[in-house]
C-alpha cells in the first residue's frame, strides 16, 4: 500500500549545500540521496522493508530511469530498500516568459541528450532560453527541477 498524504519528503530539491539543481550532481549522488532518505523514512515508520518507492524527478536532472534504478539497486544492497521496485515519474520541463507570461516551447527541453548534458554542466537553462513572443530574455523554469519521494510502500 502507498502511504497516504502529501509527498512523504522532498530531497531538498536535490541540493547539497551551495549547489544548484543540475550542477555538479549526477545520477549516483541522486540515487544515494533517494536511498538515504528512503531508508531513513523506513526506520522512522518502523518498516523492515520497502517493496516499492514512488519518485517524481524533473527532466532537468537529466536522469535516465533505467540507469538510475540500477544505481539505487547497487546502493540498496543490505538495506530496507533492497529489491524494491522504483516507480519514476519524469516531470517535463516547462518554461515561461517573466515579461509576457507566454509558455516557452523550446524543443531542447524535450531532448534527453540536451537535458543530460545540461544536468552535468555549469549552465543554467534559463540562460539558454528566450521568449519567442516578446523576444524577452527573462525566462523562468516553472517545472522540471522536482526531486521528491511521493510515496513508499511498506
Amino acid at each position: 500500500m502507498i502511504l497516504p498524504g502529501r509527498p512523504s519528503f522532498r530531497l531538498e530539491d536535490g541540493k547539497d549545500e551551495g549547489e544548484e539543481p543540475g550542477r555538479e550532481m549526477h545520477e549516483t549522488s541522486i540515487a544515494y540521496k533517494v536511498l538515504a532518505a528512503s531508508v531513513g523514512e523506513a526506520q522512522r515508520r518502523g518498516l523492515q522493508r520497502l517493496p516499492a518507492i514512488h519518485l517524481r524527478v524533473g527532466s532537468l536532472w537529466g536522469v535516465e530511469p533505467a540507469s538510475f534504478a540500477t544505481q539505487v539497486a547497487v546502493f540498496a544492497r543490505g538495506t530496507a530498500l533492497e529489491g524494491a521496485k522504483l516507480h519514476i515519474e519524469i516531470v517535463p520541463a516547462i518554461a515561461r516568459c517573466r515579461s509576457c507570461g507566454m509558455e516557452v516551447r523550446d524543443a531542447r527541453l524535450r531532448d534527453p541528450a540536451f537535458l543530460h548534458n545540461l544536468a552535468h554542466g555549469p549552465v543554467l537553462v534559463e540562460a539558454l532560453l528566450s521568449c519567442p513572443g516578446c523576444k524577452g530574455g527573462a525566462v523562468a523554469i516553472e517545472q522540471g527541477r522536482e526531486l521528491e519521494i511521493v510515496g513508499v510502500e511498506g
Side-chain angles (χ1 to χ4, degrees):
M1 126 177 167
I2 298 174
L3 300 171
R6 295 180 43 222
S8 299
F9 34 95
R10 292 182 183 268
L11 301 175
E12 303 164 15
D13 292 329
K15 296 180 188 176
D16 282 332
E17 196 64 32
E19 188 174 45
E20 290 294 321
R23 300 181 94 189
E24 308 293 320
M25 190 169 219
H26 48 80
E27 287 178 356
T28 301
S29 58
I30 295 170
Y32 182 78
K33 281 184 175 238
V34 166
L35 177 78
S38 300
V39 168
E41 186 69 3
Q43 290 171 346
R44 187 180 74 73
R45 296 181 183 192
L47 301 172
Q48 296 294 320
R49 187 172 169 324
L50 295 176
I53 184 168
H54 299 262
L55 307 170
R56 292 186 76 228
V57 180
S59 63
L60 292 175
W61 286 103
V63 167
E64 194 283 311
S67 172
F68 183 72
T70 299
Q71 291 288 331
V72 171
V74 167
F75 287 128
R77 290 184 188 133
T79 73
L81 208 59
E82 185 170 4
K85 175 139 176 74
L86 290 183
H87 300 278
I88 303 171
E89 173 193 354
I90 299 294
V91 180
I94 295 178
R96 188 165 306 279
C97 178
R98 291 183 185 187
S99 299
C100 71
M102 178 180 192
E103 184 176 323
V104 177
R105 295 178 183 264
D106 190 307
R108 294 175 295 177
L109 293 176
R110 293 179 303 282
D111 176 7
F114 174 78
L115 294 171
H116 180 79
N117 290 332
L118 184 67
H120 291 83
V123 178
L124 291 174
V125 68
E126 291 91 336
L128 301 174
L129 304 175
S130 62
C131 178
C134 71
K135 309 296 185 218
V139 173
I141 299 297
E142 290 186 338
Q143 174 179 296
R145 289 190 168 122
E146 295 80 359
L147 181 57
E148 55 192 27
I149 296 171
V150 294
V152 294
E153 296 178 22

